[in-house]
């Protein structure tokens, strides 16, 4: 049965004092974005960062402890720090959550490279809300943002990689939306590359079935560390263009992959992770 995501999800304009937990079970990624710098630490406040990598069973133990500390949690989410479909860890974790904590919304984020072919798995496990990062719908723009992809063991670069990624993202969104999943699309706003393209992304993802659009300002790092972070005026202008086609999300906190608590109000991740989970290994780009 379809659940009221907007009422229960703190990132979708829910009732006050609803919380979420991000379970960092996905280490590997299958695309290389030029702005992405994944790290394991306990101090940076941004996506792609976590204090540890959990196994699915460990994630359930952490979830149970989190619910004791913060009973306001209504959403169990997986947002990396790698891609959630690049391994089976996210799907395995959601199966456990469905069995042990069926009342929680199941929320997932993905780059969408494998979404088209794995959509039915997500439908079967009961994903309530899905976020797909779509930074461009024109290959000539996307290839400036994504260096390459790893697709079924083959490394692909350039226009071919961008075309494949865009196709799989949009087809996957269509399948998930048709099944009743609430779809939010994230776009990283990069003034020098996709600022004039935002309207087209918004129009295209809305037509594919997305219901909400989130514009995230670039954090200058990795290959894009020399670029300028968009200002409030840039973000506001992009939102005004996007809202002609789709509802625009306006209160993103750019959360870590292991965030826990009530966004903007209560953060209890430190109580759960510090000193309890050993860092298994660091990861590098690629």
């Amino acid at each position: 049965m379809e659940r009221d995501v907007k009422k229960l999800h703190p990132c979708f304009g829910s009732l006050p004092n609803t919380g979420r937990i991000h379970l960092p079970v996905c280490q590997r990624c299958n695309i290389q974005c030029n702005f992405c710098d994944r790290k394991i630490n306990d101090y940076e406040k941004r996506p792609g960062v976590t204090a540890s990598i959990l196994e699915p069973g460990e994630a359930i133990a952490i979830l149970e402890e989190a619910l004791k500390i913060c009973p306001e949690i209504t959403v169990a989410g997986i947002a990396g720090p790698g891609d959630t479909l690049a391994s089976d860890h996210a799907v395995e974790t959601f199966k456990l959550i469905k069995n042990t904590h069926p009342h929680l919304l199941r929320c997932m984020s993905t780059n969408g490279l494998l979404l088209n072919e794995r959509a039915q798995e997500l439908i079967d496990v009961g994903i309530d809300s899905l976020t797909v990062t779509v930074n461009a719908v024109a290959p000539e723009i996307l290839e400036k943002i994504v260096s390459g992809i790893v697709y079924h063991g083959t490394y692909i670069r350039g226009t071919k990689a961008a075309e494949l990624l865009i196709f799989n993202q949009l087809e996957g969104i269509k399948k998930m939306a048709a099944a009743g999943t609430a779809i939010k699309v994230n776009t990283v706003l990069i003034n020098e590359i996709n600022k004039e393209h935002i309207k087209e992304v918004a129009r295209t993802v809305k037509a594919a079935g997305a219901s909400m659009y989130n514009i995230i300002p670039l954090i200058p790092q990795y290959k894009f560390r020399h670029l300028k972070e968009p200002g409030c005026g840039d973000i506001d202008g992009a939102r005004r263009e996007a809202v002609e086609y789709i509802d625009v999300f306006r209160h993103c906190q750019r959360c870590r992959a292991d965030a826990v608590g009530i966004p903007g109000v209560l953060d209890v991740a430190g109580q759960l992770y510090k000193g309890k989970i050993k860092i298994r290994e660091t990861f590098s780009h690629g």
Side-chain angles (χ1 to χ4, degrees):
M1 183 177 67
E2 187 174 339
R3 296 190 277 186
D4 191 343
V5 173
K6 287 192 174 182
K7 182 178 179 181
L8 297 172
H9 201 309
C11 300
F12 281 74
S14 68
L15 296 172
N17 295 324
T18 53
R20 52 79 181 99
I21 180 170
H22 287 174
L23 298 166
V25 298
C26 299
Q27 179 167 341
R28 297 200 330 248
C29 195
N30 48 16
I31 77 173
Q32 181 53 68
C33 298
N34 291 329
F35 55 75
C36 182
D37 189 16
R38 290 176 290 142
K39 292 289 182 69
I40 293 180
N41 63 52
D42 59 3
Y43 56 87
E44 289 185 78
K45 304 295 184 182
R46 62 174 177 84
V49 177
T50 179
S52 59
I53 302 294
L54 306 177
E55 296 294 331
E58 292 174 323
I60 299 304
I62 287 289
L63 173 59
E64 291 173 350
E65 190 169 352
L67 288 169
K68 295 176 184 177
I69 299 172
C70 183
E72 295 88 353
I73 289 173
T74 55
V75 179
I78 302 177
D83 185 64
T84 47
L85 295 177
S87 70
D88 293 329
H89 293 175
V91 172
E92 291 173 3
T93 303
F94 281 126
K95 286 178 180 178
L96 293 173
I97 293 170
K98 185 177 182 179
N99 289 332
T100 59
H101 300 84
H103 65 289
L104 295 177
L105 287 179
R106 293 177 284 279
C107 174
M108 195 182 88
S109 298
T110 178
N111 61 40
L113 178 61
L114 296 178
L115 182 59
N116 185 30
E117 59 200 73
R118 300 196 69 177
Q120 191 59 50
E121 293 179 68
L122 304 185
I123 294 166
D124 292 344
V125 81
I127 297 298
D128 296 288
S129 65
L130 178 71
T131 295
V132 186
T133 299
V134 181
N135 290 318
V137 293
E140 65 272 18
I141 296 176
L142 187 60
E143 66 179 318
K144 297 176 183 177
I145 301 172
V146 177
S147 294
I149 66 175
V150 178
Y151 189 62
H152 296 299
T154 301
Y155 185 70
I156 308 171
R157 303 184 64 161
T159 301
K160 183 178 179 181
E163 289 175 342
L164 184 59
L165 178 55
I166 293 167
F167 177 83
N168 285 344
Q169 288 173 331
L170 296 179
E171 291 301 307
I173 289 171
K174 291 175 185 177
K175 290 179 180 179
M176 296 300 296
T181 307
I183 308 291
K184 175 168 68 73
V185 165
N186 283 353
T187 295
V188 177
L189 177 62
I190 308 166
N191 283 343
E192 296 86 348
I193 299 175
N194 65 357
K195 182 179 180 180
E196 306 303 321
H197 186 55
I198 294 296
K199 182 181 289 189
E200 183 62 17
V201 177
R203 184 193 68 78
T204 302
V205 299
K206 175 63 175 179
S211 59
M212 188 167 289
Y213 191 49
N214 183 27
I215 299 169
I216 305 172
L218 172 74
I219 300 174
Q221 57 189 4
Y222 191 40
K223 292 183 180 180
F224 283 172
R225 59 186 175 273
H226 63 286
L227 300 183
K228 186 178 180 181
E229 182 173 356
C232 293
D234 300 312
I235 300 166
D236 185 61
R239 286 172 174 168
R240 285 201 306 270
E241 291 193 343
V243 80
E244 296 180 22
Y245 299 97
I246 190 171
D247 287 342
V248 174
F249 185 85
R250 297 179 182 274
H251 52 280
C252 178
Q253 300 290 316
R254 298 199 292 199
C255 297
R256 288 168 53 99
D258 59 0
V260 188
I262 303 171
V265 177
L266 177 66
D267 180 0
V268 299
Q271 298 178 54
L272 290 168
Y273 293 107
K274 192 169 185 179
K276 296 185 179 181
I277 303 294
K278 292 180 67 175
I279 294 175
R280 290 182 171 81
E281 59 179 297
T282 58
F283 40 57
S284 60
H285 301 290

